[in-house]
Amino acid sequence: MLPWIDRPEQFPPVSHALQEPGGLLAASAHVTPEWLLAAYRQGIFPWFNPGQPVLWWSPDPRMVLLPEQFHLPHSLERTLRKRPFEIRSDSAFEAVMRGCAQPRDGQVGTWIDETMIAAYRGLHAMGLAHSIEAWADGELVGGLYGVALGRAFFGESMFARRSDASKIALTHLVRRMQQTGFELLDCQMYTSHLARFGAQEIPRAEFGERLARAVAAAAPAWQTGVMHDGYA
């Protein structure tokens, strides 16, 4: 039976997550910055449909990208060298979230509703949630957002209005992580798209061990504004 929790300190151990649907751990009525922080520190994230209770997940296995194992596809490397976008950080956080909230092809809705936007906007105001943005001709054309705790980054969602915009934003995020000593990019669940960049599934227990070390480490400074990529 799925536990209903009223306070973030009531999260069950992640080992109690259901096998079907895989990784479902608990439900609640609320999602706030405080709930998100408690969840991420334990390897838990929210994912639910509008009108549902807030559902909290911790899947096994877990999809992660270790910065040192990042793979840049050759075709994307050629595109990067053309510098098709200006890449910025944290200049339009809410706009990135709203871009991610737009339904994809074949979808009729989104799980990123106003409640979620308000919660992550609160984390952004605390300096813990960040966006990486692709701009062209003064227009936001793609990007991603997530949460940074210690030396772990929890990727949440990405979007693109021009070809390769979200992929290039991801590449710049990982480059920043490599340069500043981040240890772990949490990708949550398997996608072939992320696997192309070197992300892999690892057991939940191993993820928990890696996460505990990364979250406990001193957080690198996060610089905002235009990102200098270093690509020739």
Side-chain angles (χ1 to χ4, degrees), residues 70-88 132-136 141-144 158-160 162-176 193 196-197 227 229 231:
F70 177 70
H71 170 70
L72 180 62
H74 293 303
S75 59
L76 187 61
E77 184 176 13
R78 290 194 295 270
T79 302
L80 272 166
R81 294 183 184 280
K82 298 176 184 177
R83 300 177 185 267
F85 309 116
E86 180 180 76
I87 306 299
R88 306 178 193 170
I132 307 293
E133 309 142 12
W135 294 79
V141 296
L144 60 84
M158 60 177 63
F159 80 102
R162 293 197 188 180
S163 180
D164 292 331
S166 60
K167 297 175 185 176
I168 289 176
L170 173 63
T171 300
H172 280 78
L173 169 64
V174 177
R175 176 61 60 90
R176 170 169 286 187
H193 169 71
R196 289 184 61 228
F197 289 89
M227 298 177 67
D229 55 31
Y231 287 102

Side-chain angles (χ1 to χ4, degrees), residues 100-183:
C100 293
Q102 293 298 309
R104 273 56 163 183
D105 293 341
Q107 291 182 337
V108 296
T110 176
W111 60 278
I112 305 174
D113 63 7
E114 292 299 324
T115 301
M116 292 289 283
I117 290 173
Y120 284 93
R121 193 170 56 218
L123 285 185
H124 179 61
M126 297 165 65
L128 299 175
H130 303 284
S131 58
I132 307 293
E133 309 142 12
W135 294 79
D137 304 317
E139 178 186 358
L140 179 65
V141 296
L144 60 84
Y145 76 96
V147 175
L149 295 177
R151 295 183 182 269
F153 191 91
F154 303 84
E156 273 300 321
S157 189
M158 60 177 63
F159 80 102
R161 296 180 182 136
R162 293 197 188 180
S163 180
D164 292 331
S166 60
K167 297 175 185 176
I168 289 176
L170 173 63
T171 300
H172 280 78
L173 169 64
V174 177
R175 176 61 60 90
R176 170 169 286 187
M177 293 176 68
Q178 292 170 337
Q179 292 171 341
T180 55
F182 274 82
E183 300 174 11

Side-chain angles (χ1 to χ4, degrees), residues 191-206:
T191 69
S192 58
H193 169 71
L194 291 170
R196 289 184 61 228
F197 289 89
Q200 59 185 300
E201 291 183 312
I202 62 174
R204 181 169 55 209
E206 179 184 346

